[in-house]
């Protein structure tokens, strides 16, 4: 706010003194209080905006803070355990002798039905283009 002006807009020193703001007329103690109130109000707005943002994006903040949900941690531990078992074994993980017997039995059935090839590898296919005869079109 600007104090009332008596119409003098020139370069005189009296006109400048009269155009002081309300803020400048307050004592220093009140000015400091106003500044601090505005800062606290501004900081509380920022704090509330940040807290709302963090609450809405809890999944992203958990990853950012390197904290995992207990269920996620258990799931990742099981996946890592399976990976180490898979690397150490040549075939399927946690199978007993029954699995190997069933596999042998099914491979034997396949060999009897479809031939004597190796049933554990993908077959090679060779396709040859058919040879066509050229027939002359009769002229009419």
């Amino acid at each position: 706010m600007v104090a009332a002006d008596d119409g003098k807009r020139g370069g005189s020193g009296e006109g400048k003194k009269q155009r002081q703001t309300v803020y400048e007329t307050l004592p220093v103690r009140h000015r400091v209080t106003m500044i601090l109130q505005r800062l606290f109000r501004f900081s509380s707005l920022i704090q509330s905006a940040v807290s709302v943002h963090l609450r809405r994006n809890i999944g992203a903040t958990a990853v950012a803070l390197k904290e995992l949900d207990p269920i996620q941690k258990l799931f990742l531990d099981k996946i890592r355990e399976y990976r180490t078992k898979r690397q150490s074994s040549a075939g399927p993980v946690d199978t007993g002798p029954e699995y190997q017997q069933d596999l042998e039995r099914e491979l034997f059935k396949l060999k009897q039905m479809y031939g004597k090839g190796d049933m554990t590898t993908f077959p090679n296919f060779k396709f040859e283009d058919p040879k066509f005869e050229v027939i002359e079109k009769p002229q009419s």
Side-chain angles (χ1 to χ4, degrees):
M1 298 174 98
V2 177
D5 192 1
D6 63 352
K8 297 180 183 178
R9 298 250 180 218
S12 67
E14 292 178 17
K16 290 181 183 176
K17 288 181 184 176
Q18 291 177 354
R19 288 186 298 231
Q20 292 179 344
T21 62
V22 173
Y23 178 76
E24 292 172 345
T25 59
L26 289 175
V28 174
R29 186 181 81 203
H30 292 296
R31 283 189 228 168
V32 170
T33 307
M34 285 178 59
I35 291 171
L36 288 175
Q37 286 175 347
R38 287 180 184 168
L39 282 174
F40 289 138
R41 198 174 312 138
F42 182 69
S43 67
S44 67
L45 287 173
I46 290 175
Q47 183 181 13
S48 65
V50 167
S51 66
V52 167
H53 181 71
L54 290 178
R55 270 187 271 137
R56 289 182 182 168
N57 297 312
I58 191 69
T61 56
V63 171
L65 298 175
K66 301 286 185 187
E67 295 177 11
L68 291 177
D69 183 4
I71 304 297
Q72 286 177 330
K73 186 175 181 339
L74 182 65
F75 180 71
L76 289 175
D77 289 344
K78 285 294 182 181
I79 288 175
R80 290 179 185 127
E81 178 184 340
Y82 177 78
R83 182 179 59 197
T84 57
K85 285 182 179 180
R86 180 78 174 137
Q87 289 172 350
S88 65
S89 68
V93 177
D94 293 337
T95 58
E98 305 92 28
Y99 174 80
Q100 194 63 31
Q101 290 172 354
D102 289 341
L103 179 64
E104 296 287 332
R105 188 177 325 114
E106 294 299 321
L107 287 174
F108 180 72
K109 287 180 190 176
L110 288 172
K111 284 181 184 178
Q112 283 183 338
M113 291 172 64
Y114 297 109
K116 297 185 179 187
D118 186 12
M119 293 295 162
T120 59
T121 60
F122 195 77
N124 290 331
F125 296 107
K126 285 189 175 181
F127 296 104
E128 295 180 14
D129 291 333
K131 296 181 182 177
F132 296 106
E133 295 179 25
V134 178
I135 300 177
E136 297 285 333
K137 182 178 176 184
Q139 294 182 357
S140 25

